[in-house]
Amino acid sequence: MSHLIFVRHSVPQIVPGIQAAQWHLSKDGIELAELLAKQLEYLEPNIIFSSPEPKAHETGAILAKHLEIPQQTEKDIREHDLSSNKILLQSDFEASVSKFFNYPGRLVFGNESAEQTLQRFTGAVNKLRLDIRDKSAILVTHGRILSLFFSEITGVQPYEFWNSIGMPAYAIFELPKLTLIQLVNSVKIED
């Protein structure tokens, strides 16, 4: 049985004044990514595809090292493009994300509309599904783009889904039909 495992990257080190797309993993983020790797072992994935953003790429590298499988960067599974936006306060950011989800065909936040972002991501996922055929793969990506994808596949409301998933989080889909078999909203360190 083959699977496609979607992973939201682990916890980044937030650096004020720096775009989130440039953040690296925090100490806790590294520890959580290591825990996530242990949780995914039983699926015996063959390859990891990761977004080029540092926090996602580093999450993928930790998984690849632990699982002893190759990692490959896939630019089209990166997050919704905010490169031209100024850095926002958290409340303004959340309001902008809400608009992004509520007006999917309009360019209201960042350099891509929600529809454009979803189209890019879905195209990449479909290509990767063909590339892996009967193998299992992990895709390490981001919250907004996963929320759009999950909304398309399962009908969940993207903003509510985005608010419900932690870092890291993962979902396991069975292939070839892309059937959701498990969603883990947040990987946590036990006390």
Side-chain angles (χ1 to χ4, degrees):
M1 185 178 311
S2 60
H3 299 95
L4 199 50
I5 305 125
F6 292 87
V7 170
R8 182 183 190 186
H9 62 78
S10 198
V11 180
Q13 178 66 48
I14 297 170
V15 181
I18 302 292
Q19 290 280 356
Q22 302 306 315
W23 294 345
H24 293 268
L25 290 182
S26 66
K27 183 180 175 201
D28 285 346
I30 292 167
E31 189 175 346
L32 285 165
E34 290 168 348
L35 179 61
L36 172 62
K38 291 176 186 168
Q39 291 181 12
L40 297 178
E41 282 176 346
Y42 79 98
L43 293 164
E44 299 179 350
N46 305 94
I47 190 166
I48 295 172
F49 298 100
S50 65
S51 159
E53 293 187 23
K55 57 190 174 275
H57 194 269
E58 291 167 6
T59 300
I62 291 167
L63 297 176
K65 181 178 178 184
H66 179 88
L67 298 168
E68 299 179 349
I69 58 175
Q71 176 186 16
Q72 185 175 315
T73 300
E74 177 55 55
K75 69 178 177 61
D76 285 336
I77 64 171
R78 69 189 182 281
E79 183 60 286
H80 159 237
D81 183 4
L82 296 180
S83 60
S84 68
N85 274 53
K86 64 179 181 165
I87 297 169
L88 301 173
L89 298 172
Q90 186 64 28
S91 59
D92 294 334
F93 177 74
E94 289 180 16
S96 295
V97 170
S98 179
K99 257 183 164 173
F100 170 73
F101 290 134
N102 287 328
Y103 301 99
R106 292 181 24 204
L107 186 61
V108 294
F109 178 48
N111 303 323
E112 299 174 293
S113 69
E115 286 179 359
Q116 291 168 325
T117 303
L118 179 60
Q119 184 177 20
R120 170 178 47 82
F121 186 77
T122 301
V125 169
N126 289 336
K127 178 191 170 296
L128 294 174
R129 285 172 64 189
L130 289 174
D131 290 349
I132 64 168
R133 302 220 185 263
D134 59 348
K135 296 178 182 169
S136 293
I138 296 173
L139 274 71
V140 184
T141 187
H142 306 272
R144 290 187 308 280
I145 203 159
L146 279 178
S147 299
L148 290 170
F149 188 72
F150 268 74
S151 177
E152 186 75 12
I153 298 288
T154 69
V156 299
Q157 292 299 313
Y159 186 77
E160 286 77 18
F161 184 81
W162 177 74
N163 267 319
S164 74
I165 58 173
M167 292 180 259
Y170 65 93
I172 304 167
F173 285 84
E174 190 175 289
L175 295 174
K177 292 188 176 184
L178 206 60
T179 305
L180 178 63
I181 58 173
Q182 184 181 15
L183 171 63
V184 176
N185 280 2
S186 187
V187 174
K188 296 182 180 172
I189 299 168
E190 300 296 326
D191 293 325

